[in-house]
Amino acid sequence: MHHTKQHKLLFPVLAIGLVVLFLVNLSLGSVSIPFNEVVASLTGGNVTKSSWEYIILNYRLPKAITAIIVGMGLSLSGLLMQTLFRNPLAGPYVLGLSSGASLGVAFILLGAGILPSVLGSLFLSSYGIIIAATLGSFVVLLAVLLVAQRLKDTMAILIVGLMFGSFTSAIVSVLTYFSTAQQLQKFTFWAMGSLGSISWQNISILGIVCTIGIILAALCIKPLDALLLGERYAKSLGINFNKTRLLIIIATSILAGSITAFAGPIAFIGLAVPHMAKLIFKTGNHFVLFWATLLCGAIIVLLCDIITQLPGSDLTLPINAVTSAIGAPIVIWLLLRKRKGVYH
């Protein structure tokens, strides 16, 4: 009862925090825009300077919405993976999906020189990179699903995912060794992650795909509670473990694969945010954690994006540098604080 009252208080607080950070994100940047002007721009009111309205609607608003989608999708993927594998260090990229996406992009950016010029310029477009990353993730997903059909042990699938990651990283290393400085620079920028290079059309595609992934994840909420106590316990409750595991893998692949394709590999969000949600809400109930993780993920990525802005400066830090710098200490701190029975 105490926890229920606490949760009813925490959710509105987090929701208000999300709205405030969203407006701050739109307000800050190389050009500082007053709060009231941001609100006027969003509500169709009169904005003092037309340039402010242009900056908000064409640059900052798509980036802030992308940050929310990325935060929600990666965090939820992390929650699913940590519960499925019962491992606090499992993340959305543990199945090698990010490495698969990186391999697809590496083939395009580092291997475009060996393609005919027409094909090379086609693949080097933003759509070519997105398609390459999606195909890379999808190939690894298919391989993992084939392995999952044969292996009964969930931990074995985790190890196979890590091996896929190592294998694809090795191929990327070989490609980078033979690539030019210009090709390496393009690949490095993609690998740093970016929230600001996505068009409105791509945001709608990413939003629809991630919504499908979130709905699939929502179907797993009840089995996830049982999975906390192990496969045998879940099966004793009549849960179809193989079907649930397949559903979780597909949901994670859709979320992590599509986000990596559009925004690049963004580190630590999927790993750190589920732990933060568990610590704040002090529960293992996945109906609560599902919504808590979505809210916390959106808040953290918006916060990281604000930090990358370097207010008052024209410089923008890579999002991956900030998520790693914030995420790594948080994970270490959370794991040190973790007490058996407080949360799972």
Side-chain angles (χ1 to χ4, degrees), residues 24 57 119 126-127 129-130 139 183-184 197 199 241-242 265 283 303 330:
V24 171
L57 296 181
L119 279 179
S126 58
Y127 283 108
I129 292 172
I130 290 166
V139 168
Q183 290 170 328
L184 264 179
S197 56
S199 65
F241 177 73
N242 288 334
T283 180
L303 185 63
I330 286 177

Side-chain angles (χ1 to χ4, degrees), residues 68-81:
I68 290 174
I69 296 174
V70 167
M72 287 182 167
L74 291 182
S75 307
L76 189 55
S77 303
L79 178 68
L80 294 176
M81 289 291 98

Side-chain angles (χ1 to χ4, degrees), residues 40-64:
S41 177
L42 294 179
T43 54
N46 290 324
V47 183
T48 310
K49 294 182 182 178
S50 59
S51 60
W52 287 351
E53 189 171 20
Y54 181 83
I55 290 171
I56 290 170
L57 296 181
N58 293 287
Y59 180 68
R60 293 186 186 174
L61 187 57
K63 190 157 64 68

Side-chain angles (χ1 to χ4, degrees), residues 174-207:
V174 172
L175 287 169
T176 53
Y177 182 77
F178 289 104
S179 60
T180 64
Q182 191 183 9
Q183 290 170 328
L184 264 179
Q185 188 186 38
K186 282 185 180 176
F187 183 71
T188 305
F189 277 126
W190 177 82
M192 284 178 178
S194 172
L195 303 174
S197 56
I198 305 177
S199 65
W200 277 114
Q201 188 183 3
N202 287 343
I203 288 174
S204 2
I205 297 169
L206 181 63

Side-chain angles (χ1 to χ4, degrees), residues 6-7 10 14 275-283 296:
Q6 193 182 30
H7 298 159
L10 283 170
L14 286 176
H275 289 294
M276 293 176 67
K278 288 170 192 172
L279 187 69
I280 293 170
F281 284 81
K282 294 183 173 59
T283 180
C296 289

Side-chain angles (χ1 to χ4, degrees), residues 3 7 277-279 281-286 288-289 342-344:
H3 276 176
H7 298 159
K278 288 170 192 172
L279 187 69
F281 284 81
K282 294 183 173 59
T283 180
N285 183 341
H286 280 80
V288 175
L289 286 177
V342 175
Y343 67 94
H344 297 277

